[in-house]
Structures are given as C-alpha cells and as structure tokens.
Amino acid sequence: MKKTTLASLIIAAVAFVLFGVSIAFIKWDSAAFDATPSEMITCIIAFAAILCAFIIFEIVCEKKNKVLMILPVIGVIVLAIIFSTIITANINYNQIEVLDFIAPTTNMTVFSFLLFVTFIVSLILYFLKGYKWTAIVSITYLTILLIYVFNYSVGLFFGGDNKLTACTCGGTILALIALAVYFIDPFTNGVETKAEVKEETSTAETIKEEKVSEEVEEEKAE
C-alpha cells in the first residue's frame, strides 16, 4: 500500500472515530431546550457512514475500479459544506457569506457554482485519466474549504465547551485533510499517473518498433 494511501486511511479513520464519539454527546430529547438540532444529528450519522465508505473504498479500489472513489470523495465534500453551513448558522457567525462564495449553498453565487463544478469535473478527470493538474485543482479547492472550516471552528474545537461541536469540527477538518493527502499521491516520488504510464508505454513501444525496423533493414542490406 502506498504511503499516501496509508496516511489518508489513518487520518480518515481518526475522523470516523471522532464522529463516532460525537454520537455519545448528542442530546436526543427534542423537547429539551438544549436538544441537538435534527439536521446536525443527520449530518453526524451521514458523515460517519461516508467516512466508513471512504475507508472501505480506498482499500478495495486502490488498484481496481479506482473511479468508484469519486462517490465517497464527493460525499465527504458535500457533507463538509452542509456541516459548515449548520455550524456557522447555529453559532451566529456572520461570515457565512464566505462559504456562499466558495461552495454551492442556498445563497450561492455564480462564481461558487462554477468553482464547485470545476472541482467535480477535475475529480472525474483525475479518476478517469489521472492528470496531475486535476489533482492540483482538487487540492486547491480542498485547501480553501479546509481553511474556512478551520478558521471558524478552531475556537469551538479547542475551547471544549461543547464536546459535540468540538468532535464534529475536528472530524470535519481531519476528513478534508484525509482527502487532500489522498490527492497528493501523483506528486510523491516514484508514483506515476495513468496518463504518464500510458505515455511511457507508448514511447517504449515506439522505440521497440524502430529498433525492429532498423534490424529488418540491416538484414535486407546484408
């Protein structure tokens, strides 16, 4: 198993554990004044499930059917955006407009929509063709989203006043880091993308054909 894959798996597993632990802090009594919002409960359970799927898919699809990885990857991104929206809305941050600028929310801009579409297209091309530039696009988008989530949840995470929010914020941050590490793979030493392998194979075949042609011509000349 590649080092980047292993690192991504470990980080995703820690994120999964954090969301699993956060379930213990959910206040289920809907009649209570401090009851956990139902949309947050749904998001936590969905996040735990999609992270589990990400880990399983990463192990199973590492060498075969890698294109299937696009499903849990998109799932993590969408849930990170939804969770960020819930957190910023519930804690009354006015900076929610920042998320509207970079992600498809209810108040999204044309730019945020195009940015997200570009990200999705880059994902598809990455898993189908393995181009390095698509990995760069994915890492850039993940980094922007990661900075946003970290910037507006770091106080909650380290403050510890709300253990549920701290665990879920930490899990979201780690989930995004796990994806970023996953897309670093094409840039690690000794790792080649599908496009590069195909190009090298084609070059090797061309050289072989040229050598065979030269040998045939030499035999004819003799």
Side-chain angles (χ1 to χ4, degrees), residues 9 49-62 69 72:
L9 281 172
I50 202 66
L51 280 171
C52 183
F54 176 78
I55 294 170
I56 294 173
F57 275 53
E58 195 168 6
I59 295 173
V60 175
C61 304
E62 181 183 8
M69 278 298 299

Side-chain angles (χ1 to χ4, degrees), residues 23-142:
I23 294 177
F25 300 119
I26 292 177
K27 298 179 181 179
W28 300 93
D29 186 4
S30 58
F33 74 94
D34 58 349
T36 304
S38 58
E39 64 269 18
M40 191 166 184
I41 295 176
T42 301
C43 191
I44 290 171
I45 296 174
F47 228 134
I50 202 66
L51 280 171
C52 183
F54 176 78
I55 294 170
I56 294 173
F57 275 53
E58 195 168 6
I59 295 173
V60 175
C61 304
E62 181 183 8
K63 295 182 179 179
K64 296 181 180 180
N65 299 322
K66 194 174 180 180
V67 69
L68 293 177
M69 278 298 299
I70 193 173
L71 299 177
V73 169
I74 292 178
V76 170
I77 293 296
V78 171
L79 285 174
I81 293 172
I82 294 174
F83 178 75
S84 299
T85 304
I86 294 173
I87 289 298
T88 50
N90 287 339
I91 60 182
N92 297 319
Y93 272 139
N94 294 323
Q95 290 87 350
I96 186 88
E97 289 82 3
V98 177
L99 187 62
D100 295 333
F101 190 68
I102 63 175
T105 61
T106 53
N107 298 318
M108 66 179 178
T109 63
V110 175
F111 176 80
S112 62
F113 175 76
L114 293 176
L115 187 63
F116 187 74
V117 170
T118 301
F119 170 66
I120 297 299
V121 171
S122 71
L123 281 182
I124 296 173
L125 290 176
Y126 175 81
F127 288 113
L128 288 178
K129 300 295 184 179
Y131 297 132
K132 282 187 176 181
W133 68 266
T134 58
I136 294 174
V137 173
S138 298
I139 293 172
T140 301
Y141 187 83
L142 285 168

Side-chain angles (χ1 to χ4, degrees), residues 147-205:
I147 291 173
Y148 173 84
V149 175
F150 182 81
N151 188 34
Y152 298 117
S153 63
V154 65
L156 297 172
F157 180 67
F158 291 107
D161 295 332
N162 189 326
K163 294 180 180 180
L164 173 63
T165 307
C167 286
T168 49
C169 286
T172 304
I173 291 171
L174 289 177
L176 293 174
I177 292 175
L179 291 189
V181 171
Y182 178 80
F183 285 108
I184 292 175
D185 181 65
F187 305 100
T188 56
N189 294 328
V191 179
E192 298 174 317
T193 60
K194 293 179 181 179
E196 291 172 329
V197 171
K198 184 177 179 181
E199 183 178 353
E200 290 183 2
T201 302
S202 177
T203 302
E205 290 177 352

